[in-house]
Amino acid sequence: MRIILFGPPGAGKGTQAKLIQKKFNIPQLSTGEMFRNAIKNQTPLGKKVKSIMDEGKLVPDDTVVDLVEEALDKPEFENGYILDGFPRTVPQAEAFDTLLKQHKKKLHSFLSLEVPEDELMRRILSRKEGRSDDTPEKVKTRLEVYNDETSPVLNYYKQKGIYKSIDGTGTIEEIFGRISAVLEK
Ligand code: ADP
């Protein structure tokens, strides 16, 4: 299965992606995690994206698309994957479509985790992961960027007929139960 796990910052994409990975045995690919690792390891990519991520802005589309394309070429992703944090703009979604067509692959589901904005802010500010972009000011920027640049991706996939809305409120287990039910259908 090829799954996109979509949602605003703080919606719980990373948490749920890991649970899906475990239960359904599908590997997860998180662009945010890849960037954070690159920064930690001080790679050329890390140096390029550090200040952008620290501001809560988006890494340029071509950088992200190149990274995803290269990663998905690995044999472990041959039979499916869960994407967390990608695509995050309409141009990224279009580039991803081209990539899928080239490889004659199809997407199974676009799962949209839906959480009210005040709850997102509360969740991010209460998590203690030590992320440099988890401060009130940067979360505000990230939510603005989400509304302006990322939320149009929803309509893009609604038109494709694979969009599934998931209520992202409640406990981690409750949310995962809803996701499992959709994937097991
Ligand atoms: P969150 O969803 O909580 O914002 P992520 O780990 O998905 O966390 O992303 C963190 C940061 O990484 C983003 O604010 C952005 O700077 C960068 N990033 C991750 N994925 C992408 C992407 N697909 N396009 C552009 N920037 C990205």
Side-chain angles (χ1 to χ4, degrees):
M1 274 197 280
R2 288 172 203 83
I3 302 162
I4 293 176
L5 194 55
F6 183 85
K13 301 182 295 285
T15 305
Q16 296 298 333
K18 288 194 176 73
L19 294 172
I20 302 171
Q21 163 156 346
K22 206 162 145 213
K23 175 166 179 181
F24 295 90
N25 203 17
I26 310 171
Q28 166 210 11
L29 194 114
S30 157
T31 45
E33 250 171 50
M34 289 170 84
F35 290 134
R36 278 188 290 279
N37 282 333
I39 292 171
K40 200 171 75 196
N41 298 322
Q42 299 185 334
T43 68
L45 175 69
K47 286 178 186 145
K48 182 172 170 182
V49 302
K50 185 174 186 324
S51 61
I52 303 173
M53 276 185 73
D54 277 348
E55 281 179 59
K57 305 246 171 81
L58 292 182
V59 173
D61 287 334
D62 50 355
T63 306
V64 185
V65 171
D66 285 351
L67 180 79
V68 170
E69 181 166 13
E70 199 188 304
L72 290 183
D73 255 346
K74 292 185 189 144
E76 62 198 275
F77 297 115
E78 173 68 25
N79 294 316
Y81 42 78
I82 310 151
L83 291 177
D84 155 16
F86 178 89
R88 222 179 181 93
T89 64
V90 170
Q92 288 181 23
E94 288 167 349
F96 183 50
D97 258 350
T98 307
L99 206 74
L100 285 169
K101 278 202 194 93
Q102 280 167 357
H103 292 265
K104 299 194 172 57
K105 305 277 193 197
K106 274 205 153 48
L107 268 180
H108 179 273
S109 298
F110 178 92
L111 305 177
S112 171
L113 276 175
E114 321 228 322
V115 180
E117 196 154 305
D118 52 344
E119 168 79 6
L120 296 171
M121 185 61 106
R122 198 187 58 72
R123 283 188 191 177
I124 297 175
L125 296 183
S126 67
R127 70 185 178 194
K128 296 274 173 286
E129 290 168 10
R131 272 175 58 171
S132 56
D133 59 350
D134 277 355
T135 62
E137 197 185 315
K138 284 162 189 178
V139 174
K140 192 168 162 272
T141 305
R142 281 156 64 204
L143 290 173
E144 279 165 12
V145 168
Y146 173 80
N147 288 328
D148 294 346
E149 297 182 59
T150 306
S151 66
V153 172
L154 276 175
N155 283 326
Y156 184 87
Y157 286 100
K158 272 183 189 165
Q159 286 164 9
K160 290 188 173 288
I162 56 165
Y163 164 90
K164 285 150 198 164
S165 164
I166 308 278
D167 175 1
T169 63
T171 65
I172 290 174
E173 293 73 25
E174 280 165 352
I175 301 162
F176 184 57
R178 295 177 196 130
I179 292 176
S180 291
V182 167
L183 292 178
E184 279 162 350
K185 241 192 236 154

